[in-house]
Amino acid sequence: MSLIPGRVSLPEQLWNRASKAAELRAEGGRRMKWKAKWIWDAGEERPKNHWLCFRKKFDYDSSVTGARLQITADSRYFLYLNGKMMGYGPARSWPWKLSYDTYEIGSELVEGENVLAVLVTHYGTSTAQYVAGRGALIAQLDFYRAGEAITRYVATDRSWKVRRHNAFKKDTFRINAAFPWIEEFDAAAAETGWERVGYDDGEWERAVEIGPAGMEPWVNLVPREIPPLDYYSIYPQKVTALRCVKPMGQPVAVNFGPNFYPGCVDIKDKKQLGCLLTVIRSPVTAKGKIIHLSKKWPEVAERFKLNGREFILKEGEKEKAIELIKGDNLFILDISGGYQVFTVKMLFITEKPIEFSVPYRGSFYKFLTVGPFDYKPVHNIASMEGVELENRHILDSFWKINTLDELAVYDRWIKPLPDADFSSDDIYTLTVEKEVLADLPIKPSVQNLVKANDEFTELPAMSTEGDIELIVDFGRELSAFLEIELECADRTVFDFNLFESMHEGTPCYTEGLNNTFRYIARKGRQKYRSFIKRGFRYVMITVRNHNSPVRIYSVKGYGSGYPVTEVGDFFSPDHRLNEIWRITRHTLRLCSEDTYVDCPAYEQSLWTGDCRISSLVGYYLFGSYNLARRTLLLVAESLNRSELPEAQVPTGTDTILPAWSLLWMIACGEHYLFTGDMLFLEEIYPYLRKTAEGFIRHLTPSRLFKLNAWNMLDWAGMDTPADGIVTHHQALLVKALTDMAAMAKILGRKQEQEDLTETAWLIKQALNRELWDEERRAFVDCIHADGSLSRVISMQTNILVYLCSCVEGERKLIIEDYLRKPPDDFIPIGTPFISFLFYEALRQQGGSDAVRRIVDDIRERWGKMVDYGATTCWETFPGFYKNVLTRSHCHAWSTAPGYYLPACILGVRPLAPGFKRVAVMPDLAGLEWAKGTVPTPLGPVTVDLRATEDELIVNIKIPPEMDCEVVVDESLHPRITVNGKHMRENELKGR
C-alpha cells in the first residue's frame, strides 16, 4: 500500500534561487582583492621538514568594529593571535585551486598593540593529502567599520618578521608515505612566547616577498567551502600498563631515497634493483641476531649477506641469528623490490656494542648505497611483481662480492649515505623492540594523569638500567592531536607510540606506520601539543634519561574533524545492533575531516571509491551534504592532470583504479538525488563527461573496456590482472553511463542522453556475450591478455553484474540463487566494502527475506568486532588475516550499518531529488520495535515502528514541504500515522 498526503513542495525556482545565492556568495569570495604577497625566508624554496615562525605587530583601536583575516600556506599553518591559537589549515586542495581560510577576529583584538603569529611547516615532499609545491605564506587582515571595509589593512609583505623554529629536528624520517615527517621536538631549543605581544623580535630577519596572489603554482585562491573543523579536548580513561623497560641492541634506520632518487618529491611506488652496504665493527667474536622491521610492497623475501654467507628471510619471517667475527664484518642488504617510502629499519642485537663504518674514497661512512641498477615507477601497485627490470645481471654480479676490494667495479653506482639519512635512535624500533625488566603496580595515584584536574602522576627516578613505560587508554578510537603536561629535569626524553588496539594485553602496533613522536623536555613544568593529528586509542609513553622524579599532570587529546550534527538515530531492543550502530557512527565521524578519508590512523586519505560509501552513510547519519559535495568535486579536479579520476586525491601520486573512478561517477548522481543541488549537477557534469570520454576511448572493438591499471575491487583473491578485460569494470561502466544519461536528461542534453544510453547498452551486450561461462553458469572475473577466460569466479563479480542491472532472464535468476546461497567454489566476500554492495544487491533483489538477511549478516559480521571490544568498524572482518585481527581498526568503507539499518528497517529513502518526496518502506526484520531519525535537506524524518500480535504500528513525522509514500505489507495490518494524522484503511487503498 502507498500513501501520498499531498504536502506542498518547495517550488523549483525558489530552490534554484537559494542555490544561486549561495553560488554568488562563493564567487564573491573568489573575487577577493589580495593586497598581500606570498612570503618566505631567504633559504630554500622547497626545504625538507622546515618550520618557520612569522610575526607581525599592529595597532588596533575601538573605532574599528570588525576585522577579518584570510590566510593560507604551503604546506601547513598554525595561526595565533596575541598568543592564542586560532586555528590551523589550509583544507587539503590542489595547488592550482588552493583553499584559504577566513577568521573573524575583531572580538579577539585588544586596544593598542596586537600580534599575528603563524607557524608554518613545509614538508618538502608530497603526501597522500598534499601535492608538493614550495614553501610560502600569504595572509591579509582587513578592517571594517559599520560593516564597510576601510583602507587600513595588515598583509604579508617584507615587513613581517621570520625565524626558523629550531626546536623541531629537521633530519627525521617519514611517518609513512601518507604523512610527512616524525616530530622530534627539543624544548630547550624553543623560543618561548614568540606568539605573544611583548616578545622582542628585533633580531629576527625580514620576510622575503616571493610573489603576488595568483602566482604559480597557486594560480587560483578559493575560499574554504566547508566550516572550520571541530577542536575539542578529550581525556583518557585509564592507565592500563606500567613497567620498567630497557632498549634492546642497536637500532638502524636508513633513508636511501635521496641517494637513489635525488630531487624526487612524489610518492609514486617504485620497483628497483639495489643494495645497502656497511662494515660492522665488533670488539669480539660473538653470536647475535638481526631483526628486520620494514617490509616491501608486495611483501617478498628479504636477503642479506654477512661475511659472504647469505641469509634469506621468508615471507612473515623477520629475524635471523648471526655470528660476528672480531673486527670487520662485511654486511650487504638487498633492497631490491617495491617501495613508497625508501626506508629500511633493522635492529642488531649483539653481546657487545658494534659500530657501522665503511671506508670509501679516503673517508668513513656508516653506510653506502649501491644502485639503483634499474628502477621503474609503478602506477599499478597490484602489478608490482610483473614489472620487469633490466640490469638484474648487475645485481646478481654484485651479490657475489665478499670483500671491499671488489667494490671498484661498481663505483658508478655507489654513494655514501649522508649522516642525515641514518639514525641509530629510531623511536618506533625503540618502543616496539625492548626488554621488559618488570611490570609495576598501577596504584591509584598513577591514574591521576587521566583526571581533568591538577593532580599528577609521579614516576620515580630510574637508574641507568631501565626506562619507565606507561600505556594510556582513551577508551575509544580518536582522531586527535596529543598533548602532555609535565614537570621534570632538563633533557628528560618522552617517546610516544600511538596505536589502535590491544589484544589479550599485547599492543597491536601500527606496522607500516611510524605513529610516533619525541619530546625532549626542558627543566620545570611545561606543556607540549603535537602538530600532527593521529588516529589512535592507546598511547605508549616511554620516559628516558630521568634521574629525578617526573610528574605528569595530564595526557589528553584534542579531537578535530568535520563539525557534524548527530541528527541520525537508530534504536531497537537488540542491543547488539544498537552497539553496531554506535561504532558505525563513531567511525564515520572520525573519517570526516576536510573531506571524507579512509581512516584516521594509516593514511587520512581521500580514496575515490571509498567516498561513495562515506557519502551515502553520511547522508543518513549526519546530513553531511557539504562535505560530500566538496569531496566529490575535489576528485573531479584530478582530471586536470589525469585521463580518469585518480584513486587517491589530492596526492603526490596519480594512480588510476578504474572501479573507484566509476563509483565516483555513481556517487555524483546519488548526491544530486539526496540533495537536489542543481548547481552541483551543472558543475560536476563536464567532469563526468570528460570521464565518460576517457572510458569510451578504451573500449575494445568488441565494446569492452580495457585499461592497464590497478584493477582491484576487493582484498580477496579475485582474478583482476592489470592487462586484462575485467568483468566488474564493464558492469560498473554500464551503471555509471546509465546514471549519467539520467543526469543529461535533467540538464536538457538529449543527444548526450541518447548516446550514453546506447553505449551502455552495447557494453552490456558485450559483457553478456564475452564474459559468461556457460559451463560454470556464472560470470568469470576477467579475460586474460592472451584472450583466455579466467577460471576464477567470485561473488564480487557476480554481485556487481546483478547490481548494475547487466543480466536478465534465466541468468538473472541463476545469480539470484547465488545471492541466496553463495557456491563454495566462488571467491567469497573479503571486506565490509563488498558487503555494502552485496546488501545493495539483496535489497534490489527484494523478497520477504532480503532485509532480514541484511540485518542478520550485519549482526553477525559487525557483531564479532563488538565482541572484540571494537569502538569503530574494522577495515576487514575478523579472520581475514591469519596473524592480526585487522589492519586498520577504523575504516570508513566499513560503515554499511549506518546506511542499511535506517534504509532497510526504518525504510527511509529519497524518491525525488532533495527528499522532496520520501519513501517509508519499513521492515522490522524480526525485531519487536525500532525507531530512529534520518536527516534530509528539508528537515528530519522520524519513524517509530512497533509490532503487536494484531498489527504493525507505524508513526511517521516528516517536514511540511515533503511528500511521503508509505509502502507496508497489508498482511501485517498496519496502523499508520503521518505527522499525527491517522490514515484509515479506506484512505490507504486509494493511494
Short mmCIF file of all heavy atoms in Angstrom, two decimals, residues 318 389 600 756 791:
data_model
loop_
_atom_site.label_atom_id
_atom_site.label_comp_id
_atom_site.label_asym_id
_atom_site.label_seq_id
_atom_site.Cartn_x
_atom_site.Cartn_y
_atom_site.Cartn_z
N LYS A 318 61.01 -12.34 10.31
CA LYS A 318 61.66 -11.04 10.44
C LYS A 318 63.01 -11.07 11.15
O LYS A 318 63.65 -10.02 11.26
CB LYS A 318 60.74 -10.05 11.14
CG LYS A 318 60.49 -10.30 12.62
CD LYS A 318 59.67 -9.15 13.21
CE LYS A 318 59.56 -9.26 14.71
NZ LYS A 318 58.83 -8.11 15.30
N LEU A 389 62.56 -5.49 -14.71
CA LEU A 389 63.65 -4.53 -14.64
C LEU A 389 64.87 -5.08 -15.37
O LEU A 389 65.16 -6.29 -15.32
CB LEU A 389 64.02 -4.24 -13.17
CG LEU A 389 62.94 -3.58 -12.32
CD1 LEU A 389 63.42 -3.44 -10.88
CD2 LEU A 389 62.57 -2.21 -12.88
N PRO A 600 41.60 7.24 10.16
CA PRO A 600 42.33 8.29 10.86
C PRO A 600 43.78 7.94 11.17
O PRO A 600 44.57 8.83 11.45
CB PRO A 600 41.54 8.46 12.16
CG PRO A 600 40.90 7.14 12.38
CD PRO A 600 40.60 6.58 11.02
N LEU A 756 24.81 8.13 -24.46
CA LEU A 756 25.24 7.41 -23.27
C LEU A 756 24.43 6.13 -23.08
O LEU A 756 24.97 5.08 -22.74
CB LEU A 756 25.10 8.31 -22.04
CG LEU A 756 26.09 9.48 -21.95
CD1 LEU A 756 25.60 10.50 -20.93
CD2 LEU A 756 27.48 8.98 -21.58
N ARG A 791 39.52 -18.68 -14.99
CA ARG A 791 38.90 -19.82 -14.33
C ARG A 791 38.40 -19.44 -12.95
O ARG A 791 37.85 -20.26 -12.24
CB ARG A 791 39.90 -20.98 -14.21
CG ARG A 791 40.32 -21.57 -15.55
CD ARG A 791 39.14 -22.09 -16.34
NE ARG A 791 38.43 -23.15 -15.61
CZ ARG A 791 37.21 -23.58 -15.91
NH1 ARG A 791 36.53 -23.02 -16.91
NH2 ARG A 791 36.64 -24.55 -15.21
#
